[in-house]
Amino acid sequence: MRIEADLKLDFSDVLFRPKRSTLKSRKEVDLNREYTFKYSKHSYQGIPIMAANMDGVGTLKMAESLSQKGLFTCLVKSYTLADFKTFKGTYDPRLIAVSTGTSDKDLDNLQEILKAHPEFHTICIDVANGYSEHFGDYVARVRKLYPDHILIAGNVVTADMTQELVLRGADIVKVGIGPGSVCTTRIQTGVGYPQLSAIIECADAAHGLGAHIIADGGCTCPGDVAKAFGAGADFVMLGGMLAGHDEGEGQIVTKHEFTGDLDPQSHQMMFEPYQYVEFYGMSSDTAMKKHKGEMADYRSSEGRTVKIPYRGPVLATVKDILGGIRSTCTYVGAENLKSLSKCTTFIRVARQFNDVFA
Ligand code: 5GP
C-alpha cells in the first residue's frame, strides 16, 4: 500500500484571483475556439461546451438547439440508425459526436450510423473506466477504421492513462471519474480523483502530445465551468447543468407541493403545482433497466435517479452559463476563452460563497 500525500483539488477548493484588466465589457469577450487535432484531418470551431451523452441530455433535439449557439452535443450511445432517420429537426453535424461503447454490437451500430451519415466526423468512445487494456485496444481499432475522424476516448483521470489513450489514437481524452451529479462511483467503489486536479494534470499530459481534453462532470454552476477552462480544459462536458430542459425529451410530471401555509378562509393546507423531470446516471438501475432490460447480477448501480425541476428551453440556461464565463474573463483580464487559462491564478479557499439566504 502507498499513500500519495499531495493535496488534490476540486472546483469548490478554489476561486479565481481577480486581475487588472483593460477589458471594458463582457461583450468584448470571445468564447469561440478553433482546434486542429493530433490525428484527425477535421478541425473544430465553436464554443467548446458539450452536452453529455446521457439520457435527457445527449439528444438530437439538444443538438439542434445547442448547435444554434455553436455548442457541441455527444449523443447517447443508445441511438441507432433508425433514430437519425426519424428525426425531423436540423442540426450541424460538425457539432455532434456519435457515441459508442466497446462491445462488438456497439461497433456494428457505430459503423452502420457512420456509413449512412458520412457527414458526422466525431466519434465518442465512452466507458466508465478507461483503464482496461481492452479499452485501449478498442480505441486503436476504431482509430484504424476511421483514420480521419475526430476520436474522443474516456474516462480517465491521470496523466499516464491520458498519454496512453492519445498514443492509442485518441484526439481528445475525456477526463473525470466520480465527480458527476448523478454518479455514485465514489460511494460504491471508493475510487475517484478531485476534478480540478485531474483536469490540470491530464491537460498537461495531453497538450504535451498535441492532444486535447474534455473536463467531464462535476460542474454545478457557470463558475465551475469557467474554473475547468481556467485549469486547462479544451472542452467542458455538462450533464446535470443541461438536464431538465425541453430538449432532453424527458417526461414532465406535475406534483402539488404543500406551500407551508394554510388558506386564511378555509384553514386548509395550500398546495402549489411543481413540475419536474426524472434524471439518472447512465450506470443507474433506471438506465440499466431501460437499455439492457435489467441490472446484471454481478454489478451494482453506480448512478442515482433524481427528480429535478423542469427548466423550459435550454438556450436560456446556455445564456446564463456563457454570461458567467464572459464575466470570469473580464475579472481576470482574458479577452477570449483561449487566454483564460494563461490569465488564471487560483487561490485556495475554505469557503466558496455566502449561503445565508441560499
Ligand atoms: P455532471 O455534469 O452531471 O456533473 O456529470 C456528467 C457526467 O457524469 C457524464 O458525462 C458521465 O461522465 C458521468 N456519469 C453519467 N452517468 C453516470 C453514472 O451513472 N455513474 C457514473 N459514475 N458517472 C456517470
Side-chain angles (χ1 to χ4, degrees):
M1 197 279 294
R2 230 165 60 86
I3 294 183
E4 266 183 44
D6 287 2
L7 184 69
K8 302 294 176 187
L9 301 170
D10 241 313
F11 296 130
S12 57
D13 296 315
V14 300
L15 288 168
F16 285 95
R17 170 200 261 265
K19 287 187 184 147
R20 245 183 100 233
S21 156
T22 53
L23 289 163
K24 286 202 206 79
S25 151
R26 61 193 75 174
K27 236 184 14 224
E28 295 170 24
V29 175
D30 180 10
L31 297 182
N32 280 281
R33 299 248 22 209
E34 280 179 41
Y35 299 129
T36 53
F37 296 102
K38 184 174 174 75
Y39 299 103
S40 173
K41 306 285 175 292
H42 297 285
S43 58
Y44 160 88
Q45 206 179 354
I47 297 179
I49 294 178
M50 295 174 149
N53 50 303
M54 299 174 72
D55 289 354
V57 181
T59 60
L60 279 165
K61 205 104 197 93
M62 183 66 79
E64 181 175 30
S65 286
L66 292 187
S67 64
Q68 288 169 30
K69 296 286 167 198
L71 274 64
F72 197 97
T73 302
C74 288
L75 297 174
V76 287
K77 290 193 264 189
S78 54
Y79 272 158
T80 61
L81 185 54
D83 294 302
F84 292 93
K85 279 186 179 145
T86 50
F87 183 69
K88 292 284 171 281
T90 51
Y91 48 75
D92 182 345
R94 292 167 302 179
L95 295 175
I96 284 181
V98 179
S99 304
T100 177
T102 57
S103 70
D104 289 343
K105 205 168 138 219
D106 291 330
L107 188 59
D108 290 345
N109 188 50
L110 175 73
Q111 288 182 291
E112 195 175 42
I113 294 169
L114 293 182
K115 194 164 165 215
H117 290 277
E119 71 276 18
F120 291 127
H121 52 227
T122 309
I123 301 170
C124 173
I125 313 176
D126 176 56
V127 295
N129 171 9
Y131 282 75
S132 80
E133 209 172 289
H134 166 72
F135 181 65
D137 293 344
Y138 187 84
V139 172
R141 192 168 158 205
V142 176
R143 169 50 73 207
K144 226 173 165 176
L145 285 169
Y146 298 101
D148 293 336
H149 279 63
I150 301 167
L151 214 61
I152 300 170
N155 281 22
V156 297
V157 282
T158 51
D160 56 342
M161 210 57 196
T162 300
Q163 287 165 338
E164 167 83 13
L165 292 180
V166 171
L167 297 175
R168 288 302 199 104
D171 292 299
I172 309 173
V173 175
K174 201 145 76 76
V175 174
I177 293 188
S181 58
V182 280
C183 167
T184 56
T185 294
R186 292 179 184 179
I187 301 165
Q188 276 303 107
T189 68
V191 176
Y193 210 98
Q195 185 68 351
L196 189 84
S197 288
I199 296 166
I200 295 169
E201 293 168 27
C202 295
D204 194 44
H207 296 163
L209 292 174
H212 295 80
I213 70 150
I214 300 169
D216 174 20
C219 290
T220 60
C221 54
D224 289 345
V225 183
K227 287 174 190 175
F229 284 123
D234 304 292
F235 297 89
V236 179
M237 179 174 270
L238 306 175
M241 283 182 70
L242 297 181
H245 296 96
D246 293 326
E247 289 81 353
E249 299 177 320
Q251 196 193 345
I252 304 163
V253 182
T254 304
K255 223 170 58 173
H256 287 84
E257 284 205 331
F258 179 42
T259 60
D261 292 320
L262 296 181
D263 185 292
Q265 309 284 314
S266 65
H267 303 290
Q268 300 277 325
M269 289 160 80
M270 293 207 295
F271 290 87
E272 255 177 10
Y274 161 78
Q275 290 186 300
Y276 70 85
V277 178
E278 200 175 72
F279 178 52
Y280 49 86
M282 297 311 289
S283 307
S284 64
D285 291 359
T286 311
M288 289 297 151
K289 280 189 196 119
K290 181 161 180 220
H291 298 298
K292 309 244 191 282
E294 58 173 356
M295 173 75 76
D297 227 15
Y298 56 86
R299 62 183 295 169
S300 64
S301 160
E302 285 183 28
R304 265 183 239 290
T305 302
V306 296
K307 291 182 174 71
I308 58 173
Y310 164 62
R311 297 199 276 170
V314 75
L315 289 186
T317 300
V318 167
K319 194 170 157 197
D320 183 58
I321 297 171
L322 301 187
I325 303 169
R326 280 200 192 93
S327 188
T328 310
C329 289
T330 59
Y331 272 110
V332 301
E335 62 193 22
N336 48 39
L337 188 60
K338 185 176 180 190
S339 38
L340 178 57
S341 98
K342 255 191 300 201
C343 296
T344 294
T345 302
F346 286 127
I347 43 170
R348 278 203 56 210
V349 296
R351 189 183 186 206
Q352 274 288 302
F353 58 90
N354 184 344
D355 62 357
V356 67
F357 296 125

